[in-house]
């Protein structure tokens, strides 16, 4: 039996908690019901704890000069790993529980009973703060009960407090059907709360050496298909969107408001860094593109995942969807701008208008082609995840879909130029991907706010030239910046230059760039088109 929760015990807790969740993964998955339908809760918690365990394994000891206590270092590694790998609503909340626990326990020279109780209380506060609209009868309620029982134990003995917390959580878990009618109708307890109880039981096992008994779950009632469909996803919202976000706290506060207006089950949690930290964003929406676009406006989203709740249940064939024509092919391209759309249509592609289409819009476009094999060109890094989700949707309809990860319309033009129906589909996709990858792209825009970039400090109104997604030039004159970025790109080689003028581009912009290229790069072929895209006066491609 342990007197204190040291670094070695933290590591054993993480490993033991992960092992326990894996043993009960299917059981917890089966408990998942509305109103927090984050897919398979047991699977999400396993993935979250796996990331926490990996973080501990890759950074085992404090660095020289690190003033953190060994147990504090281990707890913060575990919490940050969980944050970066958190999946689903419950996974994100658990990551915040671990962060709140770590922040308090790490400050204590040693974690005994009363320190454990204080850490559990602060973990509860952090969990409630993370959820836009807290719901009782869920993981939050179970966590609060664990903290309350730990405080009522009023002891410095670590084992006594750990046992009290686990017992309090178990009692609260059994009461969750009384608090949520959806749980009572299904005859189950809350899935996230069950996962938390398993983690607390693992903590008890580490500090006492005793394995708590886990009774066999009662047989699940057989539900009619309509009930299963309801409980596998949100009644009002069809998609789960989740991503990591590098952003400032002020921008995240605005993001919370925007996402709250788009959907529900909103959870936004951070790593505790005062400035420039990483946040895990989770929300249920109908407009996937708007949720991702809000993240782009707030900072740098990455690890974007989109889940359609309907995929988590058995599906039936769509009666009004004709079977694809065997051997037929098509291309579906996202186009933000009327001129760009006309260019893609002239290449024989099906065009999806807008810069951030939803999964449903892409699915409809793919199905509308009637083709058996379809290549999708998203033309934006953030739309790629949406395109991948759409591809998985139509796969069950017998359509083979490949997503070529184009990041700009100029790359899509390069890909479509090499499309050859005479090749095998897989070979054609490879050729298109290679052509897109060989096309370097740039975009010119105006800065909307002050920021520090790799090219230096920019201020609102400055002209920014981004090459392959990174700011390379900051200028004050639009034409000068456009010609400068073209020079920089052609300096690395290139025979074909493509220019797409935006909706707000001044008259004569592409003519000025074309004239400059004729003087400075006389052997380069130039193609200029009115693209009509928003936000960017000029898009540039070099092949």
């Amino acid at each position: 039996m342990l007197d204190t929760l040291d670094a070695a015990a933290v590591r054993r807790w993480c490993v033991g908690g992960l092992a326990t969740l894996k043993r009960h993964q299917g059981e917890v998955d089966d408990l998942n019901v509305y109103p927090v339908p984050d897919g398979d809760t047991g699977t999400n918690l396993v993935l979250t704890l796996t990331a926490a365990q990996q973080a501990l394994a890759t950074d085992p000891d404090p660095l020289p000069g690190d003033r953190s206590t060994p147990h504090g270092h281990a707890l913060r590694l575990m919490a940050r790993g969980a944050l970066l790998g958190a999946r689903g609503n419950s996974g994100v909340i658990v990551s915040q529980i671990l962060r709140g626990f770590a922040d308090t326990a790490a400050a204590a020279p040693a974690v005994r009973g009363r320190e454990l109780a204080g850490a559990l209380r602060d973990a509860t506060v952090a969990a409630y703060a993370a959820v836009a609209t807290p719901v009782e009868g869920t993981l939050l309620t179970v966590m609060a009960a664990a903290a309350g029982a730990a405080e009522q134990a009023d002891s410095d003995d670590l084992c006594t407090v750990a046992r009290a917390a686990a017992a309090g959580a178990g009692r609260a878990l059994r009461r969750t059907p009384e608090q949520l009618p959806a749980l009572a109708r299904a005859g189950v307890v809350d899935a996230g709360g069950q996962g938390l109880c398993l983690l607390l039981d693992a903590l008890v096992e580490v500090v006492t050496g005793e394995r708590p008994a886990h009774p066999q779950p009662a047989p699940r009632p057989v539900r009619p298909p309509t009930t299963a469909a309801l409980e596998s996803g949100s009644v009002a919202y069809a998609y789960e969107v989740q991503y990591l976000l590098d952003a400032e706290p002020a921008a995240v506060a605005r993001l919370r408001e925007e996402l709250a207006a788009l959907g529900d089950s909103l959870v936004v949690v951070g790593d505790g860094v005062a400035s420039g930290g990483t946040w895990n964003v989770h929300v249920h929406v109908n407009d996937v593109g708007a949720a991702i676009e809000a993240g782009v406006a707030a900072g740098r989203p990455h690890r974007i995942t989109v889940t359609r709740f309907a995929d988590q249940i058995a599906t039936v064939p769509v009666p009004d969807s004709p079977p694809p024509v065997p051997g037929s092919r098509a291309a579906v391209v996202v186009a933000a701008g009327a001129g760009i759309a006309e260019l893609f249509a002239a290449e024989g592609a099906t065009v999806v208008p807008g810069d951030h289409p939803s999964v449903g819009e892409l699915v409809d476009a793919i199905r509308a082609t009637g083709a058996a094999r379809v290549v999708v060109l998203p033309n934006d890094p953030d739309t790629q995840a949406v395109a991948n989700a759409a591809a998985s949707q139509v796969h069950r309809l017998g359509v083979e879909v490949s997503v070529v990860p184009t990041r700009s319309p100029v790359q899509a033009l390069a890909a479509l130029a090499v499309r050859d129906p005479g090749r095998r589909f897989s070979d054609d996709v490879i050729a298109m991907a290679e052509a897109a990858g060989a096309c370097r792209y740039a975009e010119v825009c105006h800065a909307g706010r002050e920021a520090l970039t790799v090219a230096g400090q920019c201020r609102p109104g400055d002209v920014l030239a981004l090459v392959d997604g990174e700011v390379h030039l900051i200028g004050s004159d639009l034409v000068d910046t456009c010609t400068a970025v073209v020079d920089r790109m052609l300096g690395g080689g290139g025979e074909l230059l493509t220019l797409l003028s935006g909706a707000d581009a001044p008259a004569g912009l592409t003519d000025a760039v074309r004239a400059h290229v004729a003087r400075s790069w006389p052997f380069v072929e130039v193609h200029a088109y009115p693209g009509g895209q928003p936000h960017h006066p000029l898009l540039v491609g070099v092949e």
Side-chain angles (χ1 to χ4, degrees):
M1 302 176 75
L2 299 180
D3 295 325
T4 63
L5 188 70
D6 57 16
V10 170
R11 297 178 192 283
R12 292 199 302 275
W13 177 29
C14 188
V15 172
L18 176 58
T20 300
L21 283 170
K22 285 182 176 178
R23 286 197 300 271
H24 296 269
Q25 180 175 340
E27 171 191 331
V28 178
D29 280 344
D30 286 343
L31 297 175
N32 189 68
V33 301
Y34 182 80
V36 190
D38 61 345
D40 294 325
T41 300
T43 300
N44 287 336
L45 290 176
V46 166
L47 293 171
T48 301
L49 263 291
T50 297
Q53 196 275 330
Q54 289 172 344
L56 282 169
T58 55
D59 190 1
D61 299 306
L63 296 173
D66 186 347
R67 296 183 179 179
S68 300
T69 58
H71 70 268
H73 178 75
L75 284 168
R76 285 185 168 136
L77 281 177
M78 182 178 174
R80 180 165 176 79
L83 171 73
L84 297 181
R87 300 292 184 90
N89 188 293
S90 296
V92 176
I93 295 174
V94 165
S95 76
Q96 196 68 353
I97 287 172
L98 292 174
R99 188 179 77 82
F101 186 97
D103 286 347
T104 298
V111 179
R112 297 183 175 86
R114 285 187 170 81
E115 289 80 11
L116 176 62
L120 290 172
R121 173 55 58 195
D122 288 346
T124 303
V125 172
Y128 272 87
V131 181
T133 307
V135 176
E136 295 304 326
T138 65
L139 166 59
L140 297 175
T141 308
V142 177
M143 183 65 225
E151 290 172 330
Q152 290 174 7
D154 192 24
S155 172
D156 272 330
D157 182 70
L158 181 65
C159 297
T160 297
V161 175
R163 288 193 185 103
R171 290 191 296 270
L173 177 68
R174 291 188 289 273
R175 291 194 300 268
T176 55
E178 303 170 13
Q179 298 169 292
L180 276 179
L183 296 174
R185 287 194 301 269
V188 298
V189 295
D190 179 69
Q194 175 71 77
L196 178 64
C197 286
L198 293 172
L199 286 177
L200 291 174
D201 286 345
L203 177 62
V204 171
E205 182 175 354
V206 167
V207 300
T208 66
E210 305 165 359
R211 172 171 291 188
H214 294 293
Q216 290 296 318
R220 293 290 312 280
V222 178
R223 309 179 200 171
T226 53
T227 302
L230 175 66
E231 294 173 353
S232 295
S234 171
V235 171
Y237 300 101
Y239 300 97
E240 176 191 60
V241 177
Q242 188 167 0
Y243 48 80
L244 296 180
L245 179 71
D246 298 335
E248 298 294 333
V252 172
R254 293 191 296 270
L255 175 67
R256 287 180 192 269
E257 296 178 1
E258 293 182 33
L259 294 181
L262 290 175
D264 65 6
S265 291
L266 173 62
V267 185
V268 181
V269 300
D271 58 7
V273 177
S275 177
T278 299
W279 306 76
N280 197 311
V281 180
H282 172 281
V283 67
H284 294 171
V285 296
N286 287 325
D287 191 341
V288 173
I292 296 174
E293 186 174 3
V296 173
R300 187 180 75 87
H302 49 108
R303 294 196 196 174
I304 301 170
T305 60
V306 177
T307 302
R308 183 172 181 262
F309 291 123
D311 293 342
Q312 299 167 8
I313 60 174
T315 58
V316 295
V318 181
D320 60 350
S321 177
V325 179
S328 57
R329 299 186 190 180
V332 171
V333 190
V334 178
I340 295 175
E342 290 179 5
L343 291 173
F344 291 147
E347 293 289 339
T350 296
V351 177
V352 179
D355 50 358
H356 290 296
S358 68
V359 174
E361 289 171 325
L362 286 178
V363 168
D364 290 343
I366 293 169
R367 289 176 53 199
T369 66
R373 297 182 177 90
V374 180
V375 62
V376 178
L377 307 174
N379 296 337
D380 181 86
D382 298 316
T383 306
Q384 184 178 339
V386 180
N388 288 332
S392 67
Q393 292 299 302
V394 297
H395 178 73
R396 69 175 186 270
L397 301 176
V399 181
E400 181 181 354
V401 179
S402 291
V403 178
V404 174
T406 50
R407 302 168 67 89
S408 170
V410 293
Q411 290 187 320
L413 289 172
L416 291 172
V418 301
R419 191 166 51 138
D420 182 0
R423 279 193 292 244
R424 288 190 309 173
F425 179 69
S426 58
D427 293 338
D428 207 30
V429 170
I430 292 172
M432 294 176 71
E434 289 176 345
C439 177
R440 288 168 290 141
Y441 70 97
E443 46 203 1
V444 180
C445 62
H446 289 90
R449 59 184 174 86
E450 186 172 346
L452 182 63
T453 74
V454 294
Q457 188 83 14
C458 73
R459 293 175 174 78
D462 284 349
V463 182
L464 306 181
L466 293 81
V467 178
D468 295 336
E470 292 287 350
V471 177
H472 276 229
L473 295 171
I474 301 173
S476 57
D477 181 82
L478 179 61
V479 174
D480 290 345
T481 306
C482 290
T483 56
V485 74
V486 167
D487 286 340
R488 178 164 295 194
M489 296 179 74
L490 290 176
E495 300 174 348
L496 175 63
L497 176 71
T498 302
L499 305 174
L500 299 177
S501 58
D504 57 351
L509 176 61
T510 54
D511 291 338
V513 176
R514 184 196 291 269
H516 171 78
V517 173
R519 291 191 302 270
S520 303
W521 308 91
F523 300 107
V524 173
E525 182 180 353
V526 181
H527 293 174
Y529 308 98
Q533 70 275 2
H535 315 309
H536 298 98
L538 190 68
L539 297 178
V540 181
V542 172
E543 301 173 56

